[in-house]
Amino acid sequence: MRHLSRVAGSVIGLLGLLWSQTAHAATITVTGTGDTIAVDGVVTLREAITSANQHSNVNADVVAVGAYGTNDTINFNIAGAGVKTISPTAALPIIIRPVTINGYTQGVASVNTLANGDNALILIELNGTSAGSGNHGLTLGAGSDGSTIRGLAINRFTGNGIVVQSDGNTISGNFIGINPTGTTRMPNGTFPTAGDGIAIQNASNNLIGTPAAADRNVVSGNALDGIHITGTLTTPASGNIIQGNFVGVAADGVSSVGNRTEPAPAPGSAEGNNLYGIEISGGDNNTVGGTTAGARNVVGFNADGIEIDNGAQANIIHGNFVGVGADGVTQVGNLLHGVALRSSNGFGLPLGPPQPNEPGVSFNRIGGTNAGAGNLVEFNGTGGIAVFGNPLSASGQPNLENPIEGNSIFENGRSNGTPTQLGIDLSNQFVFPKDDGVTPNDSKGHGAPNDPNNFQNFPVLTAATSNGSTTNVAGTLSSAPNSTFRIEFFASNPDPLALPAEGQQFLGFVNANTDASGNASFNTTLNVPVANGRIVTATATDAVGNTSEFSAGLVVPTQAPTPTPTPTPTPTPTPTPTPTNALNLSTRARVDTGDSVAIGGFIITGNASKKVVVRGLGPSLSRFNLSGLLLDPVLELRQANGALILMTDNWKDNQRAQIEGSIYQPTDDRESVIVATLQPAAYTATLSGKGQTAGIGTVEIYDNDQEADSQLANISTRGFVQTGDNVMIGGFQLGLGSNNARVAVRGLGPSLSQFGLSTVLADPTLELHDSNGAILVSNDDWQSDAVSAGQLTANGLGLPDPKESGIFTSLPPGAFTAILAGKNGGVGIGLIEIYNLH
């Protein structure tokens, strides 16, 4: 057997030697920027491609070095310094044989060397302005398998930048849809019929970029998609790998390339690619990203970041930055979703049409359980990741078994629209692209064709505590009987827009098994600490890959409720000081429209439910000699997951019997009041003006059950801070205790710009007053008071921007106010936060 192996090896080696002696390749050098086929002393790109296609010199100007063979090369040596622009006057020839086109051979051109940017020097530009209607930049047609295109700037063609119709090609190191410096959009395409930067059409095993920095493509500014894979059941597109690219961002990895000029979806807004960054339409078993840093794609400033549609199945989305820049920090949010999965049935161009018998969008993996597989999905305008059941696929198959695991998803929903956007949204109430917000467990059933991910139920958390080194989380899940589910846990900072917590930091997981009734409970310790005040959430994924939305969040620490034991006689205890709790929290601010409504977030901590009263006042504030009041307030109370608890316009509309005659009855019938008994968790109260009106208003939250084993822990309110009576005033009352309470007050402004807000308060100032109006402490820049800054930092409340303000102090029972204003009369959107830390 060993002898046979040696013989076989010798034969293979001999064949390899014979191949090396017989394989041929020619090199053609382009020497001019013209577009002719003529004997004129220069070689044009058109002449070079034509010669490579026909395996012979097209005329006497073309002098190929070497014999034409299996993979010829087109290099560039055009006289003179700077960028050389080739402007075809008609469609360039479709490439029908393997060829390498290498723009980096021109002059001093050089490849990218940066890990988180792109400093490639590209000196060959293909400008399609004169190429004719619907024509593409370069097309790899049938027979061109194994070709390479690199080192080119391709822009302003009315079709696509590069079209790939063959297998096994490499597209690397190009700038597509932008200028040669990678800073300014020069779109390929004509919206809505064409305009992909790179279009892979029914082709397989192509590489778009690689983990090597030198191979990064910057694909931005195109009229439709950055990179678009299209396949069908009968003409598949599979095995394509998209890695290491900047898709929608500029060459610096953090900037846009200009503003949209297309009529939809948002003319004038910052643009990456006008429609999708990366789209897989009907393609199967393709990979976007990878588990190493070099493999990640940075996808931002598009309408949707990554789109999987038209029956695409079994694709892998790993390790990408979606909505955040290459530095992992800068906001580059996509207009709508970070990642969206949906069917194409019923749509025309550019969202459709569907392929024949379009199957469900299923078995696609977003993130994963291996190290590095999770995506960072942040700062996007609507849902972070959305799986749609509307429209239904053309075949009637559901969009199922799309696991969403191990990702970092947070601070999405930056458009702050209605319904409240989520980190993960399973949506079928509205047709794509509109999300429908939280879907309560079992509220829409399971198993219908339009149930995305089978509307997998999310867990219900009951406890979340941390001891500084580990975190304990307990809860329940109600789902399919006798089944195993992967429960993943996450921790998030409170959202600056007071939106529901998502999943910022992946903490770990536990497997939970349901009983014959479909019920499971879990109580697990995770080997990672979570700071007090952060919010823990969870998802559930069944054995076939259906992942739920995020659960409602629990603020750390939240203790599990325990049964009350039967009392036994005990000695009379020695009296001990009781903690000082917050009895009511309120904020007065200018209430405008859009981003400038007043949004109050508050947190209840402890072990028992708390009866609270929430009021939205406006007209009655005239007793304080204020003008410009909010004349008809509208108040909404929502859970942390965005579910609406109650909305009221006039207080007599809904709960009159509980309010009338109480101390909480407003003096004006147009004002709003909500009475609710709430479990320990985070909540939001939004105050707006009926009919888009504006004015000064107040959001108030009262503790109406002061004996309960739970506390009002903090309030955070966002609004438009002006001057005079229109500054933001946060009031709070401490009581029911003999000890001082530790209180933190924060005033934010500059850091809010990263959430898509404009006209933020540039330099906030804070003052803390007692009930007599005397100033107890004031602060401009939070780090200017070293003691207070140290305490804020130690409690996880350090401010994101040095110009923001923070106060940490100890206060006795009583009433206090915190005033947020702009330094030197500055105005803008600001956020005031008051924390009762006990």
Side-chain angles (χ1 to χ4, degrees):
M1 183 66 70
R2 293 177 184 172
H3 175 70
L4 290 176
S5 298
R6 288 196 296 271
V7 171
S10 300
V11 171
I12 292 171
L14 179 60
L15 290 174
L17 178 61
L18 292 173
W19 176 256
S20 68
Q21 292 174 341
T22 58
H24 300 289
T27 298
I28 307 166
T29 300
V30 175
T31 60
T33 60
D35 189 44
T36 60
I37 296 180
V39 179
D40 54 9
V42 296
V43 179
T44 66
L45 179 60
R46 185 178 297 276
E47 289 173 326
I49 293 174
T50 302
S51 298
N53 278 344
Q54 65 186 30
H55 270 187
S56 63
N57 298 336
V58 70
N59 59 29
D61 287 338
V62 179
V63 180
V65 177
Y68 287 99
T70 58
N71 198 328
D72 302 318
T73 297
I74 297 175
N75 290 336
F76 296 84
N77 185 17
I78 302 173
V83 175
K84 300 303 173 183
T85 299
I86 297 172
S87 300
T89 56
L92 287 168
I94 295 174
I95 298 167
I96 59 172
R97 295 183 185 273
V99 67
T100 294
I101 301 178
N102 188 0
Y104 287 122
T105 56
Q106 170 65 30
V108 295
S110 59
V111 301
N112 171 55
T113 60
L114 301 177
N116 296 323
D118 197 311
N119 62 354
L121 179 59
I122 290 183
L123 296 179
I124 296 295
E125 177 185 34
L126 303 187
N127 176 352
T129 302
S130 301
S133 176
N135 290 325
H136 310 306
L138 293 171
T139 300
L140 296 176
S144 64
D145 308 69
S147 293
T148 298
I149 297 174
R150 62 188 281 105
L152 304 177
I154 303 176
N155 53 51
R156 290 173 281 184
F157 287 85
T158 56
N160 303 311
I162 297 175
V163 176
V164 180
Q165 298 170 335
S166 59
D167 301 338
N169 304 290
T170 300
I171 312 297
S172 61
N174 303 285
F175 287 3
I176 304 176
I178 47 178
N179 65 341
T181 60
T183 58
T184 304
R185 68 187 296 265
M186 293 182 172
N188 293 298
T190 306
F191 183 86
T193 57
D196 296 332
I198 301 172
I200 299 176
Q201 298 174 344
N202 312 112
S204 299
N205 302 317
N206 296 286
L207 300 180
I208 310 300
T210 78
D215 291 337
R216 173 175 298 131
N217 298 288
V218 182
V219 190
S220 301
N222 297 285
L224 292 182
D225 295 355
I227 302 169
H228 190 182
I229 298 174
T230 302
T232 68
L233 294 170
T234 56
T235 54
S238 62
N240 299 290
I241 301 175
I242 301 171
Q243 292 184 325
N245 305 287
F246 287 175
V247 186
V249 295
D252 63 5
V254 296
S255 301
S256 75
V257 293
N259 296 321
R260 285 175 166 81
T261 57
E262 297 84 359
S269 62
E271 180 168 67
N273 296 287
N274 185 52
L275 197 57
Y276 307 133
I278 299 172
E279 182 179 11
I280 303 177
S281 298
D284 299 336
N285 294 293
N286 300 287
T287 299
V288 178
T291 57
T292 64
R296 86 167 55 104
N297 300 286
V298 178
V299 186
F301 295 117
N302 310 285
D304 272 2
I306 299 175
E307 191 89 358
I308 304 176
D309 56 43
N310 204 0
Q313 296 187 344
N315 298 286
I316 295 173
I317 313 298
H318 275 175
N320 302 285
F321 282 3
V322 186
V324 64
D327 58 3
V329 177
T330 303
Q331 175 187 355
V332 299
N334 298 284
L335 278 175
L336 302 175
H337 308 97
V339 182
L341 294 80
R342 52 100 179 169
S343 297
S344 299
N345 189 28
F347 290 126
L349 292 172
L351 304 183
Q355 62 167 301
N357 201 34
E358 173 198 23
V361 173
S362 299
F363 322 122
N364 301 285
R365 179 171 292 278
I366 315 300
T369 59
N370 295 327
N375 302 280
L376 175 56
V377 183
E378 182 183 6
F379 296 135
N380 299 289
T382 58
I385 299 175
V387 185
F388 283 85
N390 190 354
L392 182 63
S393 68
S395 67
Q397 295 178 12
N399 298 334
L400 287 177
E401 301 178 22
N402 298 291
I404 304 168
E405 296 176 320
N407 302 286
S408 175
I409 306 170
F410 69 110
E411 292 184 10
N412 295 288
R414 296 306 92 182
S415 64
N416 204 15
T418 302
T420 300
Q421 287 94 24
L422 308 177
I424 300 174
D425 196 343
L426 307 182
S427 178
N428 75 353
Q429 182 176 347
F430 307 110
V431 176
F432 171 87
K434 185 176 181 179
D435 301 347
D436 66 6
V438 66
T439 302
N441 285 341
D442 301 318
S443 63
K444 295 185 179 179
H446 309 276
N450 65 340
D451 290 352
N453 267 10
N454 200 34
F455 276 132
Q456 170 60 47
N457 285 350
F458 49 77
V460 176
L461 302 183
T462 56
T465 58
S466 184
N467 62 10
S469 59
T470 62
T471 299
N472 180 262
V473 184
T476 61
L477 176 68
S478 175
S479 195
N482 301 315
S483 301
T484 299
F485 297 84
R486 177 183 171 95
I487 311 297
E488 291 194 342
F489 302 101
F490 304 85
S492 300
N493 296 330
D495 191 293
L497 302 184
L499 296 182
E502 301 176 20
Q504 180 176 5
Q505 177 189 2
F506 175 65
L507 301 177
F509 77 98
V510 67
N511 288 327
N513 299 308
T514 55
D515 59 21
S517 298
N519 297 314
S521 61
F522 51 87
N523 190 327
T524 188
T525 298
L526 307 167
N527 292 319
V528 58
V530 176
N532 286 355
R534 299 192 80 202
I535 302 170
V536 172
T537 56
T539 60
T541 303
D542 67 16
V544 295
N546 291 300
T547 297
S548 71
E549 297 177 349
F550 284 110
S551 70
L554 281 187
V555 179
V556 175
T558 297
Q559 301 286 345
T562 56
T564 302
T566 302
T568 57
T570 56
T572 302
T574 301
T576 57
T578 56
T580 299
N581 297 329
L583 299 184
N584 73 282
L585 306 165
S586 65
T587 305
R588 194 192 83 194
R590 170 79 182 181
V591 179
D592 282 318
T593 58
D595 289 336
S596 299
V597 298
I599 303 174
F602 64 98
I603 296 174
I604 299 173
T605 61
N607 302 314
S609 60
K610 171 74 67 179
K611 187 174 183 180
V612 300
V613 177
V614 184
R615 303 204 309 172
L617 306 183
S620 63
L621 300 180
S622 61
R623 68 185 187 276
F624 301 113
N625 296 318
L626 299 174
S627 58
L629 301 175
L630 189 66
L631 295 180
D632 196 347
V634 176
L635 186 64
E636 294 182 4
L637 178 63
R638 293 182 178 271
Q639 297 178 11
N641 62 11
L644 181 66
I645 298 171
L646 190 64
M647 179 178 71
T648 184
D649 177 6
N650 304 320
W651 67 269
K652 291 182 177 180
D653 290 348
N654 297 315
Q655 298 176 302
R656 180 173 181 174
Q658 300 180 61
I659 300 166
E660 195 164 31
S662 72
I663 61 172
Y664 305 114
Q665 178 182 333
T667 59
D668 193 291
D669 290 348
R670 293 170 292 177
E671 294 177 320
S672 305
V673 181
I674 293 174
V675 179
T677 300
L678 304 174
Q679 295 295 322
Y683 300 90
T684 60
T686 301
L687 181 65
S688 60
K690 187 174 183 179
Q692 299 292 305
T693 54
I696 298 173
T698 296
V699 180
E700 300 177 343
I701 298 101
Y702 291 88
D703 182 345
N704 199 32
D705 187 7
Q706 299 168 15
E707 299 298 329
D709 186 15
S710 54
Q711 301 82 39
L712 285 176
N714 80 291
I715 184 172
S716 59
T717 303
R718 195 197 79 197
F720 197 83
V721 179
Q722 297 186 5
T723 58
D725 291 336
N726 294 315
V727 297
M728 186 179 290
I729 302 175
F732 58 100
Q733 182 177 353
L734 302 174
L736 272 188
S738 55
N739 284 348
N740 279 15
R742 297 186 308 145
V743 173
V745 184
R746 308 200 314 169
L748 290 82
S751 63
L752 300 181
S753 61
Q754 64 184 309
F755 306 113
L757 300 175
S758 58
T759 321
V760 297
L761 193 63
D763 194 351
T765 64
L766 273 179
E767 293 180 354
L768 182 61
H769 295 246
D770 64 16
S771 59
N772 297 316
I775 297 178
L776 301 177
V777 62
S778 62
N779 181 260
D780 179 5
D781 301 331
W782 72 280
Q783 294 173 324
S784 62
D785 184 334
V787 174
S788 178
Q791 289 290 339
L792 289 168
T793 302
N795 284 273
L797 297 174
L799 279 297
D801 190 284
K803 287 188 175 296
E804 293 175 325
S805 304
I807 294 171
F808 190 98
T809 189
S810 177
L811 297 173
F816 304 90
T817 56
I819 298 177
L820 177 66
K823 188 174 182 178
N824 298 324
V827 300
I829 297 173
L831 179 72
I832 190 169
E833 300 176 335
I834 302 167
Y835 292 84
N836 178 22
L837 302 174
H838 301 294

